[in-house]
Amino acid sequence: MTTATNPSRRNLIASTAAVATGTLALGMHGAAAGASSQSPKMTSDTVTMKDGTRIYFKDWGSGPVVTFSHGWPLNADAWDGQMHFLARNGFRVIAHDRRGHGRSTQSSSKNDMNGYADDLAEVFNALDLKNVSMIGHSTGGGEVARYIGRHGSKRVAKAVLIGAVPPIMVKSASNPEGLPIEVFDGIRAGVAGDRSQYYKDLAVAFYGASRSGAKVSQGVLDQFWLWSMQTGQKNAYECVKAFSETDFTEDLKKFDIPTLIMHGEDDQIVPVHDSAKKSAKLIKGAREIYYPGAPHGLTATMQDKVNADLLAFLRS
């Protein structure tokens, strides 16, 4: 059975569709024009970089600004224990997912320290952050160092490096105490292979769970695996070179703000004597706190102690 359609109604539908199509096209053209004239673009929880990469961030609380740069291969959620604590104590806390990690775009390029630092600079600009206390853990500590080395400290009030990778991790003629390149080749092989099992195994060393007397919950180990699996395989693979082979020596020499170095003395991922101890000699006036028996993931295993020390430094 067919139903007759009123000719005038057909004309109205056709006209409406044409107007809608024209409006949509105009809107798309306007959006494209806006994208080319405004950089970076910002939504409530992302900033779009010049190459189109979207960097996710979370922004809690109010007061003096503290930013957080996470370790490999995690994301901003790894900082929740510190962010929630500081937000309750009068600070505005902001953490982002590095490109390729977490909720940010799994970009095919710029998965290196210069790219990470430039992304952070665009986030700072988009949010108009000033007098920032920058905190970085592990790879995130390298990101903080490269940001200051590349973009200066105009927007920075203080810096904190926790279990951080600078000055440089890989062994060389100029860094004989470093880790052999074969160690990092093994990490790349793990990421390129059965990365799910690799991340489960890595979590044990990350939090020192295999040490006698260690008290690390299954939940802590599971969350490490979850965050790691949210990172793009290509991004995680390329980041290994970034955190292991980048030389931050000259970046550290440019630090001209109060800086705190925090490191676990039983760090199985970033050995303390080839990282924190050397960085402290390169940063003028750096303060140092070392935690006996503490692992790489001390922000989780010693959350209360780390939080108290951070608060004291930020308020000093």
Side-chain angles (χ1 to χ4, degrees), residues 108-120:
S108 184
S109 61
K110 298 184 179 180
N111 297 303
D112 54 50
M113 280 296 165
N114 286 349
Y116 302 151
D118 291 350
D119 288 345
L120 188 54

Side-chain angles (χ1 to χ4, degrees), residues 133-171:
S133 292
M134 301 181 71
I135 301 177
H137 174 248
S138 193
T139 298
E143 183 176 278
V144 169
R146 181 50 52 93
Y147 172 91
I148 292 174
R150 194 169 170 85
H151 298 279
S153 59
K154 181 179 179 180
R155 293 179 179 268
V156 185
K158 295 181 179 181
V160 182
L161 305 179
I162 306 178
V165 298
I168 184 171
M169 290 192 71
V170 72
K171 182 177 182 178

Side-chain angles (χ1 to χ4, degrees), residues 31-305:
S36 63
S37 63
Q38 296 179 358
S39 181
K41 293 190 302 179
M42 185 176 68
T43 65
S44 60
D45 61 1
T46 64
V47 178
T48 301
M49 304 293 104
K50 294 173 184 176
D51 68 350
T53 296
R54 295 182 305 278
I55 299 297
Y56 168 87
F57 69 92
K58 49 186 172 184
D59 185 344
W60 302 345
S62 60
V65 178
V66 183
T67 62
F68 296 85
S69 294
H70 63 79
W72 177 93
L74 311 178
N75 60 49
D77 292 349
W79 286 114
D80 278 2
Q82 286 68 50
M83 292 181 67
H84 187 200
F85 171 79
L86 291 177
R88 298 197 320 265
N89 280 276
F91 292 87
R92 178 186 176 191
V93 292
I94 300 169
H96 71 291
D97 290 352
R98 187 173 300 118
R99 68 168 53 215
H101 298 63
R103 291 141 291 199
S104 292
T105 304
Q106 293 187 7
S107 306
S108 184
S109 61
K110 298 184 179 180
N111 297 303
D112 54 50
M113 280 296 165
N114 286 349
Y116 302 151
D118 291 350
D119 288 345
L120 188 54
E122 290 204 50
V123 172
F124 275 36
N125 291 338
L127 298 177
D128 193 25
L129 303 181
K130 299 174 182 177
N131 297 317
V132 177
S133 292
M134 301 181 71
I135 301 177
H137 174 248
S138 193
T139 298
E143 183 176 278
V144 169
R146 181 50 52 93
Y147 172 91
I148 292 174
R150 194 169 170 85
H151 298 279
S153 59
K154 181 179 179 180
R155 293 179 179 268
V156 185
K158 295 181 179 181
V160 182
L161 305 179
I162 306 178
V165 298
I168 184 171
M169 290 192 71
V170 72
K171 182 177 182 178
S172 66
S174 59
N175 186 40
E177 302 87 5
L179 296 173
I181 190 65
E182 289 78 13
V183 171
F184 304 107
D185 289 341
I187 296 174
R188 279 184 277 263
V191 171
D194 183 355
R195 64 185 180 123
S196 180
Q197 186 59 51
Y198 176 76
Y199 290 144
K200 288 190 175 185
D201 295 339
L202 180 60
V204 175
F206 193 95
Y207 295 111
S210 62
R211 297 304 200 209
S212 177
K215 297 180 180 179
V216 183
S217 72
Q218 189 60 47
V220 165
L221 299 176
D222 289 346
Q223 71 181 9
F224 180 93
W225 174 86
L226 174 64
W227 295 331
S228 300
M229 290 300 293
Q230 292 173 354
T231 298
Q233 187 178 50
K234 184 177 189 294
N235 307 102
Y237 186 95
E238 293 179 359
C239 188
V240 176
K241 181 179 179 67
F243 73 66
S244 64
E245 298 181 46
T246 302
D247 189 343
F248 300 97
T249 300
E250 296 305 314
D251 301 304
L252 296 174
K253 291 178 181 179
K254 294 180 181 179
F255 277 46
D256 56 0
I257 35 82
T259 302
L260 173 64
I261 294 174
M262 307 166 73
H263 213 108
E265 292 186 346
D266 190 29
D267 191 324
Q268 300 175 61
I269 307 298
V270 182
V272 63
H273 292 291
D274 194 45
S275 54
K277 299 285 188 178
K278 290 183 177 180
S279 292
K281 295 177 181 179
L282 293 168
I283 301 173
K284 184 177 180 180
R287 307 182 196 180
E288 303 165 72
I289 301 178
Y290 299 106
Y291 301 88
H296 190 57
L298 71 167
T299 55
T301 63
M302 300 184 63
Q303 179 175 297
D304 291 345
K305 176 59 176 169

Side-chain angles (χ1 to χ4, degrees), residues 15-39:
S15 298
T16 302
V19 171
T21 301
T23 301
L24 177 60
L26 179 61
M28 292 176 66
H29 175 74
S36 63
S37 63
Q38 296 179 358
S39 181

